[in-house]
Amino acid sequence: MTNLREKLQSLGYKKDNGSSKSETNVLTDNHGQTRQVNDSTFQDRLYKVIQSYPLPYPHGEVLIEDSAPLGMIGEWAKTPQISALTLSDVVFIDTETSGLVGGTGTFAFMAGIGLYKEKRFEVHQIFLPEPVDEFAFLEEIHRILSPFPVIVTFNGKSFDLPLLQTRFILNRMQTIPEEKNHIDLLHLARRFWRERLESCSLSELEKQILHVQREEQEVPGYLIPEIYFRYLKTKDFSLLNGVFYHNRVDILSMAALFQFMSRVLSQPEIFPLHSMDLASVARLYHDMGYWDMASHLYSQALSEEMPQDILIKTFLRNAEIHKKKGNLPEAIELWKKAAEYGNLEAHLELAKIYEHTLKNLEIALEWANRAFTLCNTLPLPLWKRKEWLREISHRIQRLEQKKRKDSYGKTPL
């Protein structure tokens, strides 16, 4: 095999002439950020690189720091016990694989693992030079992950972790314990940004949220399996330069996103968020049962400009909270604002509240009739229109019957 020094050079590492330790190397990126490579070895026929980032470390416009509030992000992930932990209990993992879909024929050939150690964030990259040594590769991954109670991934729930578990089983190894707490950032990112961003892929979040610009050596993820198989044929280690870079930045981006989202969830009212993102965070609080904070954030979002469809949804969600809390005047006001934009659901809610709670059949019938007219003008699928018209017609008939009954009861003998 090519010796370690040549492999390091092929990956862009350079000897630090100012260092007193001959085994220490540094890598300087195009932005002048220097990271120490304090271990780069062959171990059990594996190639392993550890890069150390002094904290706080800027990744795009987000700082990776040595602390973060974990309570709310843990509650969202239904793992409230995380609130008692620290970042030293959290590990990040991202794999590069021989294929972009799962299945027993797909295997991981690189694992990037990020962890906090004292005042540093370390990225451990374990590379499998030959598929025949997969057992040692998986054993090293398992060894690193085992002490950590919290695993963080990006789409790992659907891909990385199931793939690794399958490879553990095929190699007759112990799997990752199911009781470990797992936070998949993709699912949380969708809750944060799906209303505003067309895609919540990691690369898109880097551009739109973290403002990270990848360097020229970056290779797109869909090319990585092909590059690995070319390496297996040629043994040209320099082909993997972009793969190592891609994996390393993925880990840094995951750590930055994790910290950003944990801070926002902890104190959303103090962050200068886009109104659509603020409405999305409000919905998270809404779904978790924190109605007061959710309503406050909905109101804050409504004070700013946002697309009409999001505006209407925010009116309705805030109205729902006020209804549950018994604040009917506030709920009615929000439903009326949504109704001004031609929202059918708001019309029906007003008809219901005036009929059943306020006992004002006159106004209830007025809102029901408006809903009937609106339903005939909205661009709805035929089946949906028929469904709505059936429900509204039934409501109108019932209200008219109630009115007649009331009028008969009031007729003097």
Side-chain angles (χ1 to χ4, degrees):
M1 286 188 175
T2 309
N3 64 41
L4 174 60
R5 183 183 298 276
E6 291 173 348
K7 291 182 180 295
L8 282 170
Q9 290 174 346
S10 75
L11 286 172
Y13 299 110
K14 297 179 180 179
K15 184 77 171 295
D16 180 10
N17 294 327
S19 172
S20 59
K21 297 182 179 180
S22 60
E23 71 275 16
T24 299
N25 294 270
V26 297
L27 172 67
T28 303
D29 63 23
N30 293 340
H31 307 290
Q33 292 292 337
T34 300
R35 293 93 69 173
Q36 180 179 326
V37 183
N38 48 12
D39 186 17
S40 184
T41 59
F42 278 103
Q43 178 181 334
D44 296 328
R45 295 181 58 79
L46 300 177
Y47 180 47
K48 181 177 176 182
V49 178
I50 302 176
Q51 293 196 44
S52 181
Y53 300 80
L55 300 178
Y57 182 80
H59 186 61
E61 295 183 1
V62 174
L63 282 178
I64 300 175
E65 301 184 77
D66 60 357
S67 64
L70 303 181
M72 289 304 298
I73 200 168
E75 188 165 344
W76 168 82
K78 295 182 172 55
T79 54
Q81 60 271 29
I82 290 178
S83 61
L85 304 178
T86 66
L87 286 178
S88 62
D89 299 304
V90 177
V91 66
F92 301 82
I93 183 167
D94 180 65
T95 61
E96 308 305 334
T97 62
S98 62
L100 301 179
V101 295
T104 56
T106 302
F107 62 92
F109 65 84
M110 181 183 294
I113 299 176
L115 53 93
Y116 295 89
K117 191 172 182 180
E118 297 174 351
K119 292 292 184 179
R120 306 188 308 277
F121 183 74
E122 291 186 351
V123 177
H124 297 227
Q125 290 180 288
I126 310 160
F127 175 67
L128 177 63
E130 296 289 346
V132 70
D133 295 309
E134 184 183 30
F135 187 93
F137 173 76
L138 295 171
E139 193 173 44
E140 179 66 4
I141 294 173
H142 198 285
R143 183 191 68 80
I144 297 175
L145 295 183
S146 290
F148 294 93
V150 182
I151 296 177
V152 178
T153 66
F154 195 92
N155 198 32
K157 186 175 183 179
S158 301
F159 188 76
D160 298 80
L161 291 191
L163 185 143
L164 284 176
Q165 297 287 45
T166 298
R167 303 311 299 182
F168 285 134
I169 292 170
L170 290 174
N171 281 273
R172 299 183 179 181
M173 298 175 62
Q174 182 180 358
T175 59
I176 299 170
E178 292 184 1
E179 63 267 19
K180 280 189 180 291
N181 301 301
H182 178 206
I183 298 178
D184 191 329
L185 295 181
L186 173 60
H187 299 282
L188 184 57
R190 285 172 174 164
R191 296 297 304 273
F192 265 68
W193 294 296
R194 65 182 170 190
E195 298 283 18
R196 182 164 67 91
L197 303 181
E198 292 184 5
S199 168
C200 285
S201 66
L202 187 57
S203 59
E204 189 65 18
L205 295 178
E206 284 180 349
K207 296 174 186 175
Q208 301 292 338
I209 307 302
L210 303 178
H211 303 288
V212 168
Q213 294 294 326
R214 296 208 177 200
E215 300 171 10
E216 292 182 0
Q217 60 187 304
E218 163 70 7
V219 295
Y222 68 88
L223 288 179
I224 288 177
E226 177 187 341
I227 292 173
Y228 181 64
F229 285 115
R230 284 169 54 199
Y231 154 78
L232 289 178
K233 290 180 180 179
T234 64
K235 302 303 179 185
D236 181 1
F237 207 85
S238 65
L239 292 171
L240 299 167
N241 185 42
V243 179
F244 272 82
Y245 174 80
H246 173 97
N247 178 261
R248 184 170 64 249
V249 177
D250 277 357
I251 293 293
L252 291 171
S253 293
M254 288 164 57
L257 279 172
F258 180 80
Q259 293 215 343
F260 178 79
M261 289 190 282
S262 67
R263 292 171 197 151
V264 170
L265 280 178
S266 177
Q267 292 182 300
E269 69 277 10
I270 69 171
F271 277 82
L273 299 177
H274 190 285
S275 60
M276 296 168 68
D277 300 344
L278 192 60
S280 295
V281 174
R283 188 178 180 185
L284 273 170
Y285 271 87
H286 189 166
D287 293 343
M288 288 191 289
Y290 292 96
W291 292 351
D292 289 338
M293 176 59 81
S295 183
H296 171 71
L297 296 176
Y298 281 140
S299 298
Q300 190 175 333
L302 288 169
S303 68
E304 304 175 20
E305 292 186 5
M306 64 176 74
Q308 182 173 310
D309 59 331
I310 307 301
L311 180 69
I312 293 170
K313 290 178 184 177
T314 306
F315 280 137
L316 295 176
R317 288 166 183 158
N318 203 10
E320 179 188 343
I321 290 177
H322 283 295
K323 177 185 176 182
K324 289 179 177 178
K325 294 177 66 176
N327 303 329
L328 287 185
E330 291 86 348
I332 289 171
E333 183 64 24
L334 289 162
W335 281 322
K336 286 182 176 179
K337 288 180 178 179
E340 290 175 4
Y341 288 93
N343 180 259
L344 189 57
E345 182 180 344
H347 282 73
L348 292 174
E349 288 292 343
L350 287 164
K352 292 175 186 177
I353 207 75
Y354 276 105
E355 177 184 359
H356 300 298
T357 306
L358 300 178
K359 308 299 182 182
N360 191 324
L361 300 180
E362 187 87 28
I363 297 181
L365 184 57
E366 180 181 340
W367 280 109
N369 282 321
R370 288 184 184 179
F372 187 86
T373 302
L374 179 63
C375 189
N376 279 301
T377 60
L378 290 175
L380 298 171
L382 182 59
W383 67 271
K384 189 67 175 177
R385 188 190 309 279
K386 288 182 177 179
E387 185 179 289
W388 278 110
L389 287 174
R390 189 182 305 112
E391 178 185 341
I392 296 168
S393 297
H394 178 73
R395 182 174 298 279
I396 291 172
Q397 290 173 10
R398 187 179 66 249
L399 285 166
E400 288 176 339
Q401 288 173 358
K402 282 186 176 182
K403 281 190 66 180
R404 284 195 295 270
K405 183 177 179 181
D406 282 0
S407 63
Y408 292 151
K410 294 176 183 177
T411 303
L413 297 175

Short mmCIF file of all heavy atoms in Angstrom, two decimals, residues 316-336:
data_model
loop_
_atom_site.label_atom_id
_atom_site.label_comp_id
_atom_site.label_asym_id
_atom_site.label_seq_id
_atom_site.Cartn_x
_atom_site.Cartn_y
_atom_site.Cartn_z
N LEU A 316 -55.71 30.50 11.18
CA LEU A 316 -56.52 29.35 11.63
C LEU A 316 -55.88 28.65 12.82
O LEU A 316 -56.58 28.24 13.77
CB LEU A 316 -56.70 28.36 10.47
CG LEU A 316 -57.52 28.86 9.27
CD1 LEU A 316 -57.54 27.81 8.17
CD2 LEU A 316 -58.94 29.22 9.68
N ARG A 317 -54.57 28.47 12.80
CA ARG A 317 -53.90 27.77 13.90
C ARG A 317 -53.95 28.58 15.19
O ARG A 317 -54.16 28.03 16.28
CB ARG A 317 -52.46 27.45 13.51
CG ARG A 317 -52.36 26.35 12.46
CD ARG A 317 -51.00 26.27 11.82
NE ARG A 317 -50.98 25.26 10.77
CZ ARG A 317 -50.09 25.23 9.77
NH1 ARG A 317 -49.14 26.16 9.70
NH2 ARG A 317 -50.16 24.29 8.85
N ASN A 318 -53.77 29.90 15.06
CA ASN A 318 -53.87 30.74 16.26
C ASN A 318 -55.30 30.77 16.78
O ASN A 318 -55.52 30.76 18.00
CB ASN A 318 -53.37 32.15 15.94
CG ASN A 318 -52.91 32.89 17.18
OD1 ASN A 318 -52.78 32.31 18.26
ND2 ASN A 318 -52.67 34.18 17.04
N ALA A 319 -56.27 30.78 15.87
CA ALA A 319 -57.68 30.75 16.28
C ALA A 319 -57.99 29.45 17.03
O ALA A 319 -58.75 29.45 18.01
CB ALA A 319 -58.58 30.89 15.06
N GLU A 320 -57.41 28.35 16.57
CA GLU A 320 -57.63 27.07 17.24
C GLU A 320 -57.17 27.11 18.69
O GLU A 320 -57.84 26.59 19.59
CB GLU A 320 -56.89 25.96 16.48
CG GLU A 320 -57.04 24.58 17.09
CD GLU A 320 -56.14 23.55 16.42
OE1 GLU A 320 -55.66 23.81 15.31
OE2 GLU A 320 -55.91 22.49 17.03
N ILE A 321 -56.00 27.73 18.92
CA ILE A 321 -55.49 27.83 20.29
C ILE A 321 -56.44 28.66 21.15
O ILE A 321 -56.80 28.27 22.27
CB ILE A 321 -54.09 28.46 20.29
CG1 ILE A 321 -53.08 27.48 19.70
CG2 ILE A 321 -53.67 28.83 21.71
CD1 ILE A 321 -51.67 28.02 19.59
N HIS A 322 -56.87 29.81 20.62
CA HIS A 322 -57.77 30.67 21.40
C HIS A 322 -59.10 29.97 21.68
O HIS A 322 -59.68 30.13 22.76
CB HIS A 322 -57.99 31.99 20.66
CG HIS A 322 -56.84 32.93 20.76
ND1 HIS A 322 -56.44 33.50 21.95
CD2 HIS A 322 -55.98 33.40 19.81
CE1 HIS A 322 -55.38 34.28 21.73
NE2 HIS A 322 -55.09 34.24 20.45
N LYS A 323 -59.57 29.18 20.73
CA LYS A 323 -60.81 28.42 20.95
C LYS A 323 -60.63 27.42 22.08
O LYS A 323 -61.50 27.30 22.97
CB LYS A 323 -61.20 27.70 19.65
CG LYS A 323 -62.44 26.83 19.78
CD LYS A 323 -62.70 26.07 18.51
CE LYS A 323 -63.90 25.12 18.64
NZ LYS A 323 -64.12 24.32 17.39
N LYS A 324 -59.52 26.69 22.08
CA LYS A 324 -59.27 25.69 23.12
C LYS A 324 -59.12 26.34 24.50
O LYS A 324 -59.48 25.74 25.52
CB LYS A 324 -58.02 24.88 22.78
CG LYS A 324 -58.21 23.91 21.62
CD LYS A 324 -56.92 23.16 21.32
CE LYS A 324 -57.13 22.15 20.20
NZ LYS A 324 -55.88 21.43 19.85
N LYS A 325 -58.58 27.55 24.52
CA LYS A 325 -58.39 28.24 25.78
C LYS A 325 -59.63 29.01 26.22
O LYS A 325 -59.65 29.61 27.30
CB LYS A 325 -57.20 29.20 25.67
CG LYS A 325 -55.87 28.49 25.47
CD LYS A 325 -54.74 29.48 25.30
CE LYS A 325 -54.50 30.28 26.56
NZ LYS A 325 -53.34 31.18 26.43
N GLY A 326 -60.68 29.00 25.38
CA GLY A 326 -61.92 29.68 25.73
C GLY A 326 -61.91 31.16 25.42
O GLY A 326 -62.80 31.90 25.87
N ASN A 327 -60.94 31.62 24.64
CA ASN A 327 -60.87 33.04 24.26
C ASN A 327 -61.65 33.25 22.95
O ASN A 327 -61.07 33.45 21.88
CB ASN A 327 -59.42 33.48 24.09
CG ASN A 327 -58.59 33.26 25.33
OD1 ASN A 327 -59.10 33.31 26.45
ND2 ASN A 327 -57.30 33.00 25.16
N LEU A 328 -62.97 33.18 23.02
CA LEU A 328 -63.79 33.21 21.81
C LEU A 328 -63.68 34.51 21.03
O LEU A 328 -63.63 34.47 19.79
CB LEU A 328 -65.25 32.92 22.16
CG LEU A 328 -65.56 31.46 22.51
CD1 LEU A 328 -67.05 31.27 22.71
CD2 LEU A 328 -65.06 30.53 21.42
N PRO A 329 -63.68 35.69 21.66
CA PRO A 329 -63.56 36.92 20.86
C PRO A 329 -62.30 36.93 20.00
O PRO A 329 -62.34 37.33 18.83
CB PRO A 329 -63.53 38.03 21.92
CG PRO A 329 -64.26 37.44 23.08
CD PRO A 329 -63.89 35.99 23.08
N GLU A 330 -61.15 36.47 20.58
CA GLU A 330 -59.90 36.43 19.82
C GLU A 330 -59.99 35.42 18.68
O GLU A 330 -59.53 35.68 17.56
CB GLU A 330 -58.74 36.09 20.74
CG GLU A 330 -58.37 37.18 21.74
CD GLU A 330 -59.20 37.10 23.02
OE1 GLU A 330 -60.21 36.34 23.04
OE2 GLU A 330 -58.86 37.79 23.99
N ALA A 331 -60.58 34.25 18.96
CA ALA A 331 -60.71 33.22 17.92
C ALA A 331 -61.60 33.71 16.79
O ALA A 331 -61.29 33.53 15.61
CB ALA A 331 -61.28 31.95 18.53
N ILE A 332 -62.74 34.35 17.13
CA ILE A 332 -63.66 34.84 16.11
C ILE A 332 -62.99 35.89 15.24
O ILE A 332 -63.15 35.90 14.01
CB ILE A 332 -64.93 35.41 16.78
CG1 ILE A 332 -65.77 34.26 17.36
CG2 ILE A 332 -65.76 36.22 15.78
CD1 ILE A 332 -66.93 34.72 18.22
N GLU A 333 -62.22 36.76 15.85
CA GLU A 333 -61.53 37.80 15.09
C GLU A 333 -60.55 37.19 14.08
O GLU A 333 -60.46 37.63 12.93
CB GLU A 333 -60.79 38.73 16.05
CG GLU A 333 -60.09 39.91 15.38
CD GLU A 333 -61.06 40.88 14.72
OE1 GLU A 333 -62.23 40.92 15.13
OE2 GLU A 333 -60.63 41.58 13.78
N LEU A 334 -59.83 36.14 14.50
CA LEU A 334 -58.87 35.48 13.61
C LEU A 334 -59.59 34.73 12.49
O LEU A 334 -59.15 34.74 11.33
CB LEU A 334 -57.98 34.53 14.40
CG LEU A 334 -56.97 35.22 15.33
CD1 LEU A 334 -56.45 34.26 16.38
CD2 LEU A 334 -55.82 35.80 14.53
N TRP A 335 -60.72 34.07 12.80
CA TRP A 335 -61.48 33.38 11.76
C TRP A 335 -62.03 34.37 10.74
O TRP A 335 -62.05 34.10 9.53
CB TRP A 335 -62.64 32.60 12.39
CG TRP A 335 -62.22 31.30 13.00
CD1 TRP A 335 -61.27 30.42 12.54
CD2 TRP A 335 -62.72 30.74 14.21
NE1 TRP A 335 -61.16 29.34 13.37
CE2 TRP A 335 -62.04 29.50 14.41
CE3 TRP A 335 -63.68 31.13 15.15
CZ2 TRP A 335 -62.29 28.68 15.50
CZ3 TRP A 335 -63.94 30.31 16.24
CH2 TRP A 335 -63.24 29.10 16.41
N LYS A 336 -62.46 35.52 11.22
CA LYS A 336 -63.00 36.54 10.29
C LYS A 336 -61.91 37.05 9.36
O LYS A 336 -62.16 37.30 8.17
CB LYS A 336 -63.61 37.69 11.08
CG LYS A 336 -64.97 37.35 11.71
CD LYS A 336 -65.56 38.55 12.44
CE LYS A 336 -66.95 38.21 12.98
NZ LYS A 336 -67.55 39.35 13.72
#
